[in-house]
Amino acid sequence: MSQNIKLKKGFDINLAGKAEKKIAELSQPETFAIKPVDFVGMSRAKLLIKEGDTVKAGSPIMIDKLVEDVMYCSPVSGEIAEIVRGAKRKILEVRILADKEVAFESFEKHTDVSGISREAAIDQMKKGGVWPNIIQRPYGVVANTEDKPKAIFISAFDTHPLAPDLNFTLQEDAKYYEAGVAILSKLTEGKVHINVNKDSADFFKSGKAQINTVDGPHPAGNVGVQIHHIDAINKGEVAWTVSPYGVAQIGKLFLEGKYDASKIIALTGSEVKAPQYYKTYTGAAINKLVDGTTKEGHIRYISGNVLTGKQINSTGYIGFYDNQVTVIPEGDHYEFFGWITPTTKKLSFHRAFGLLSFLGGKNKEYVLDTNTKGQHRAFVQTGAFEKVLPMDILPTHLIKAVLAEDYDDMEGLGIYEVIEEDLALCEFIDVSKNDIQSILREGIDLVKNS
């Protein structure tokens, strides 16, 4: 039975620079990259290619040494231009010099996906490069093909700051999305849950899934929050999650017989002259995207959103799971009296002394930089975390348990239900300036490997 969930806890970060709903022309980048660091939980990447090799879109590039049957594939066709390594020869990036016309590897086509068996579907997904779209809860890692999840969850809307409109970016992929849902329904003995809000309810329909409505401020769009309220994960249970883009990509593999990594990217942020959408491929270099489209000054480029994205430079590459690039000012200037200066231009969850930002109204857009307005200090228990996390867990106590490496408390306090994005808002409002997301990942890894 469909559920209607209304959340009151949370906090919307309303930034300036939301993308206008139009797709601008883009001269495609010369190079694209696939980065092992994008795939959380990958133990050690093993390359299947070498510099100078020619590949097609869908050609295997690497595997995880512990899961050798899942292929991580090239998003475009071309030549392997460079393998970038870090300390101890760790693979950081595999860069591909792209052809002008993308050539695809061929996989089996299906005009009707209803007759495909679970085993055949998994086998094609592993070979066809789309399996990494399936993320396992707990731990937030690429799903194990041997598991049978109790349910699969799809969040059909995104409440992160300046998030792209999924109705707009997937408007031409409706049939692929429907086919992807049908394939996913074969992978679980439970239900496929599609969680929508009022804006996405009409577009993301499916007769193969249970449609749940979720309403509330960020992080209402986080799939972990939705799982908590629909069918919470207990110790020993496994659920899978897939993004709407990943669902459509799975559908394309079966209907078109190819690994199609094309995607529509939102270029957002206050330092973008005309925020809008661009069509490119997974792993694109952002140099063509930001050249001439951003303002002058010292700015930061982020692959993803400001809460959970990763910093890249102006020649960096878009992450595998990211559908937006955010450009904001670099917070490297000194400000007299800093945070306590009376102003309506700053945004804060806390009504700090002298801070008048809360007088701006809910629709006011803010230009924020990367300055944290303070340095790391002792962890302070303020009770604020519990006001922005709409889950029946105690995030402050959970983080303290991680810092103490108390395995029993970590399990009892909900470590199986959360990953970094679920506590990213806690980090934003943290007066102690702690890296909450990194601390949480350390705790997840401790429990996972225990």
Side-chain angles (χ1 to χ4, degrees):
M1 180 181 293
S2 298
Q3 297 188 38
N4 187 5
I5 300 164
K6 294 185 177 181
L7 305 175
K8 295 183 178 180
K9 293 182 179 180
F11 185 60
D12 286 326
I13 302 174
N14 196 21
L15 299 183
K18 190 172 184 62
E20 182 184 355
K21 291 183 184 178
K22 74 174 187 177
I23 300 176
E25 294 292 327
L26 174 66
S27 176
Q28 289 298 330
E30 285 83 11
T31 59
F32 294 77
I34 183 168
K35 300 179 284 187
V37 70
D38 287 342
F39 308 103
V40 177
M42 177 177 279
S43 59
R44 189 177 177 187
K46 177 183 177 181
L47 294 180
L48 304 176
I49 46 78
K50 60 182 183 298
E51 289 184 6
D53 283 356
T54 300
V55 296
K56 295 180 180 180
S59 295
I61 295 291
M62 63 184 180
I63 58 174
D64 186 339
K65 282 192 172 183
L66 294 183
V67 192
E68 294 194 351
D69 56 346
V70 174
M71 303 297 163
Y72 295 80
C73 296
S74 174
V76 294
S77 61
E79 179 184 336
I80 303 299
E82 185 180 6
I83 298 170
V84 182
R85 296 181 182 269
K88 298 182 180 179
R89 294 185 54 79
K90 180 181 179 181
I91 302 166
L92 302 180
E93 295 176 346
V94 178
R95 298 178 181 173
I96 303 149
L97 181 62
D99 295 334
K100 291 185 178 180
E101 295 288 335
V102 177
F104 296 90
E105 295 280 3
S106 295
F107 300 94
E108 186 176 357
K109 276 187 182 182
H110 303 268
T111 55
D112 181 10
V113 299
S114 61
I116 303 173
S117 67
R118 183 180 192 273
E119 292 72 22
I122 290 175
D123 186 62
Q124 184 158 337
M125 291 170 69
K126 291 190 296 185
K127 294 176 180 176
V130 300
W131 187 266
N133 286 299
I134 303 180
I135 302 300
Q136 172 192 308
R137 293 293 186 106
Y139 311 133
V141 298
V142 175
N144 185 339
T145 59
E146 302 298 321
D147 287 339
K148 290 188 177 180
K150 69 171 184 175
I152 297 176
F153 295 84
I154 302 164
S155 178
F157 66 103
D158 192 342
T159 53
H160 284 97
L162 302 177
D165 186 323
L166 298 179
N167 295 22
F168 179 76
T169 60
L170 295 174
Q171 59 185 329
E172 297 180 358
D173 293 330
K175 70 174 182 179
Y176 302 120
Y177 174 82
E178 181 63 33
V181 174
I183 290 295
L184 291 173
S185 68
K186 299 175 182 293
L187 307 185
T188 176
E189 296 176 353
K191 297 178 180 178
V192 175
H193 294 270
I194 300 176
N195 307 318
V196 302
N197 63 0
K198 61 181 180 181
D199 297 322
S200 61
D202 292 335
F203 183 84
F204 291 98
K205 294 179 179 178
S206 176
K208 298 289 185 179
Q210 175 175 308
I211 309 298
N212 306 300
T213 303
V214 183
D215 179 60
H218 182 69
N222 284 10
V223 70
V225 172
Q226 297 165 4
I227 293 171
H228 176 84
H229 288 275
I230 296 168
D231 189 4
I233 299 171
N234 298 309
K235 184 176 182 179
E237 294 180 332
V238 171
W240 289 351
T241 71
V242 193
S243 71
Y245 170 79
V247 175
Q249 193 180 49
I250 291 169
K252 285 182 184 179
L253 175 67
F254 287 88
L255 294 184
E256 302 293 338
K258 63 184 181 182
Y259 174 64
D260 187 351
S262 62
K263 62 167 55 174
I264 295 175
I265 297 292
L267 180 61
T268 64
S270 60
E271 302 312 290
V272 179
K273 296 176 183 176
Q276 53 196 329
Y277 293 84
Y278 297 85
K279 191 170 184 179
T280 184
Y281 295 86
T282 297
I286 69 166
N287 56 338
K288 293 287 185 70
L289 199 65
V290 301
D291 185 23
T293 63
T294 56
K295 300 175 183 178
E296 298 292 330
H298 194 190
I299 55 182
R300 179 173 295 193
Y301 302 96
I302 301 169
S303 176
N305 62 76
V306 294
L307 289 179
T308 64
K310 293 183 174 65
Q311 180 182 356
I312 57 177
N313 57 37
S314 59
T315 58
Y317 297 88
I318 300 170
F320 181 86
Y321 298 103
D322 295 330
N323 297 314
Q324 73 180 108
V325 173
T326 308
V327 188
I328 60 175
E330 191 68 65
D332 54 359
H333 59 281
Y334 174 76
E335 186 176 353
F336 187 64
F337 280 134
W339 193 237
I340 65 171
T341 305
T343 179
T344 59
K345 295 182 179 180
K346 295 176 183 176
L347 173 68
S348 175
F349 175 76
H350 310 277
R351 296 189 174 186
F353 173 77
L355 185 63
L356 305 177
S357 65
F358 58 89
L359 298 178
K362 290 185 178 181
N363 297 322
K364 179 179 174 62
E365 294 183 343
Y366 295 88
V367 176
L368 302 185
D369 59 30
T370 63
N371 197 314
T372 60
K373 306 296 190 293
Q375 297 178 343
H376 172 74
R377 57 186 73 105
F379 195 79
V380 179
Q381 185 168 329
T382 63
F385 291 180
E386 288 73 15
K387 295 179 181 178
V388 298
L389 183 64
M391 301 171 74
D392 293 328
I393 67 173
L394 300 172
T396 304
H397 294 79
L398 174 58
I399 293 302
K400 286 188 172 184
V402 173
L403 292 171
E405 297 189 11
D406 188 325
Y407 290 80
D408 290 338
D409 272 1
M410 280 190 274
E411 291 183 357
L413 290 166
I415 193 75
Y416 295 118
E417 294 203 63
V418 292
I419 62 172
E420 293 93 318
E421 69 173 20
D422 299 316
L423 296 193
L425 193 55
C426 295
E427 182 176 317
F428 176 77
I429 68 167
D430 183 20
V431 297
S432 304
K433 315 301 178 184
N434 282 279
D435 188 350
I436 300 297
Q437 295 181 71
S438 294
I439 295 171
L440 180 63
R441 174 46 60 181
E442 291 176 6
I444 291 171
D445 290 341
L446 284 172
V447 172
K448 178 175 176 288
N449 298 322
S450 64

